Amino acid sequence: MQFEHLGARPRIHPEAVVAPTAVVSGDVTIGAGCQVLHGAVLTAEGGPITLDENVIVMENALVRASATHPVHIGSHVLVGPTASISGATVAEEVFVATGTRVFNGARIGRRSEVRINAVVHLRTVLPPESTVPIGWVAVGDPAQMFSPDRHEEIWALQKDLDFPGFVFGLDRATPDLMIQLTERYGAALARHALDRRLD
């Protein structure tokens, strides 16, 4: 399913294949040889998504861009089932495995692997040929790797990366943070009410 969002339409190369149950919305460019499988969602909510050549986005994966955080995925990248990439840059020949999460402002270097259920956190930079082990968390610039049981160490770095400030423009100390966040984000997402199906 293809949708026009905020006046922008997907551009899909004739040699790409998009499953009929995938959703491609807004300013999305899909290059030659790409495969977008069933249930995948590519949603450009004010900023562009670009898939270079021969990118595979598997079942139920999510790729999301915003006005301040576009997405670029280089050639020959595999995005596994249920993986999520939000507002990040992924270089060429990267493996983003099943269930992984890549957050806004992250940059993943060429020929890296983000293994099953791993996380590349907000504003984290993975150099080329890096590996994030299964279930581990990469945080910072340059990235440091932590097993998930090291929450306090992860949080010590993650807190300064300022998720609510970087993504939503809100101070974490705001007393009604979640009220402001959900109302602001809800208003932005409500713009989908004006989307127009193209196929």
Side-chain angles (χ1 to χ4, degrees):
M1 295 176 276
Q2 296 179 42
F3 293 89
E4 181 180 288
H5 178 63
L6 300 177
R9 295 174 170 221
R11 292 166 306 284
I12 300 171
H13 193 282
E15 294 175 15
V17 176
V18 177
T21 59
V23 173
V24 182
S25 176
D27 187 4
V28 179
T29 301
I30 298 175
C34 289
Q35 307 286 325
V36 179
L37 303 185
H38 289 283
V41 175
L42 284 69
T43 180
E45 297 175 350
I49 294 172
T50 305
L51 275 56
D52 286 347
E53 296 180 356
N54 300 298
V55 174
I56 299 171
V57 180
M58 295 188 70
E59 293 88 353
N60 302 310
L62 170 64
V63 179
R64 178 190 306 273
S66 68
T68 52
H69 301 107
V71 172
H72 182 268
I73 299 177
S75 296
H76 302 283
V77 168
L78 175 61
V79 179
T82 71
S84 173
I85 298 173
S86 295
T89 300
V90 179
E92 300 80 16
E93 301 175 50
V94 169
F95 177 43
V96 179
T98 300
T100 60
R101 302 292 178 256
V102 180
F103 286 93
N104 299 60
R107 296 192 311 267
I108 300 176
R110 188 172 187 264
R111 292 190 174 176
S112 291
E113 292 186 28
V114 184
R115 294 185 175 160
I116 296 170
N117 293 327
V119 173
V120 179
H121 220 290
L122 184 80
R123 299 162 62 182
T124 294
V125 178
L126 286 179
E129 300 185 11
S130 295
T131 299
V132 183
I134 293 171
W136 280 44
V137 180
V139 184
D141 179 8
Q144 296 181 51
M145 308 286 179
F146 297 94
S147 59
D149 61 321
R150 296 169 63 189
H151 177 266
E152 294 308 316
E153 293 171 81
I154 295 167
W155 178 245
L157 293 170
Q158 183 183 341
K159 184 177 181 182
D160 289 339
L161 296 176
D162 187 23
F163 184 82
F166 189 69
V167 175
F168 298 105
L170 294 168
D171 185 334
R172 181 181 294 283
T174 302
D176 61 347
L177 174 63
M178 289 309 296
I179 293 170
Q180 288 194 41
L181 188 151
T182 55
E183 288 180 0
R184 182 180 294 185
Y185 197 34
L189 293 172
R191 297 179 301 183
H192 282 289
L194 303 176
D195 288 1
R196 189 166 59 91
R197 187 163 175 176
L198 300 173
D199 56 347

